Amino acid sequence: MMRHDFRHRVAMISALAASVVGGSAHASGRGGHAQQTAQLSPQQQVSQQQVGQQSPETQVSDGALASMISASNQLEITQAMIGRRQARSREVKDFAREMLESHSQSERRLGALLVRLRIEMEPTRVSAMLIGHSSRIAAYLRRRPAREFDEAFIAAQVTTHRHALRMLDERVLPRVKDQALKQELQRIRGEVVSHLERALAIQATLAKQETSFQQGR
């Protein structure tokens, strides 16, 4: 029963992330639709997202695109702070610490670059949705029993980094105009790929340990 509940919760995290990333362009262009979507269940949001992907892309400023990445950084920082405190295994605790340092540095670099380029961040419905979902994921992680926490944290990390990569590839990098900002976002993409690969490796290790534990019971 515990394992079923865990898988259900992970699926909810994935649906929440997908609802933001997949529908980002549609949400940034049509406020009424975004407000309605936020009131739907995670499964309904994914269905709405698939419909939204069929609509024409809207023009988004570099400041708005940067705000999406900043919100994604903040999401990862929030999770990492929780992971650093609550993780049980050394590997997961170290990963959380590395995520905190990496995304904090990324946020500082992005902010400094925007100042130099005189580009102001423009909060969007997408960045607001990311911040809102960050709070939900954080609340979920804080409630995890110690026995479940490491798997739940890494599952969230896999999901949010996977969708951050998708957002960069499909929504941000193809639309950014300033070349210096684009170069920085490409650097961030490289870090996201590295983080995702590490999270997947840790997830595989935890799965093996869980299988061994179940077999030994």
Side-chain angles (χ1 to χ4, degrees):
M1 185 70 176
M2 182 184 296
R3 299 296 297 170
H4 174 75
D5 178 68
F6 171 70
R7 293 191 184 96
H8 175 68
R9 293 289 185 174
V10 171
M12 285 185 63
I13 290 176
S14 183
L16 287 169
S19 71
V20 172
V21 179
S24 60
H26 192 55
S28 63
R30 302 181 67 173
H33 175 82
Q35 293 170 357
Q36 294 169 6
T37 299
Q39 298 172 0
L40 300 177
S41 69
Q43 291 79 11
Q44 290 171 320
Q45 288 182 31
V46 173
S47 296
Q48 290 289 331
Q49 158 227 325
Q50 292 169 348
V51 173
Q53 287 177 337
Q54 299 173 7
S55 62
E57 295 283 331
T58 55
Q59 291 296 319
V60 180
S61 71
D62 282 359
L65 294 171
S67 77
M68 297 179 199
I69 302 306
S70 177
S72 181
N73 274 332
Q74 293 298 328
L75 181 151
E76 298 297 347
I77 290 169
T78 298
Q79 289 184 60
M81 291 176 67
I82 298 170
R84 189 178 61 171
R85 288 193 301 267
Q86 294 183 217
R88 298 176 71 189
S89 76
R90 173 53 55 188
E91 187 175 24
V92 174
K93 191 177 288 288
D94 286 347
F95 179 73
R97 177 181 52 78
E98 291 168 13
M99 291 305 96
L100 178 58
E101 292 174 358
S102 179
H103 285 281
S104 295
Q105 289 175 3
S106 179
E107 185 69 1
R108 288 193 293 269
R109 283 176 60 111
L110 179 61
L113 177 62
L114 293 175
V115 169
R116 181 166 64 83
L117 297 176
R118 298 183 180 180
I119 296 175
E120 292 187 10
M121 281 198 196
E122 299 175 19
T124 66
R125 292 179 182 87
V126 175
S127 58
M129 288 169 70
L130 279 166
I131 292 169
H133 288 344
S134 175
S135 299
R136 295 182 192 180
I137 295 172
Y140 159 71
L141 289 174
R142 290 189 183 101
R143 292 195 301 267
R144 291 309 89 207
R147 175 75 181 84
E148 297 179 21
F149 181 82
D150 286 8
E151 280 189 293
F153 172 72
I154 292 298
Q157 286 290 289
V158 167
T159 294
T160 53
H161 278 94
R162 184 173 282 155
H163 287 290
L165 181 60
R166 180 181 166 194
M167 181 168 67
L168 280 160
D169 286 345
E170 297 182 6
R171 305 296 185 184
V172 177
L173 286 171
R175 303 160 78 184
V176 67
K177 303 175 188 67
D178 187 277
Q179 288 304 304
L181 178 57
K182 186 168 189 174
Q183 185 176 1
E184 174 61 17
L185 294 176
Q186 287 171 333
R187 186 197 63 80
I188 290 174
R189 182 191 185 280
E191 290 189 342
V192 171
V193 170
S194 178
H195 295 168
L196 177 57
E197 290 174 348
R198 176 85 186 280
L200 286 168
I202 296 173
Q203 188 176 53
T205 298
L206 292 176
K208 289 180 182 178
Q209 293 173 351
E210 179 64 22
T211 299
S212 298
F213 174 79
Q214 294 293 338
Q215 290 176 345
R217 293 180 65 178

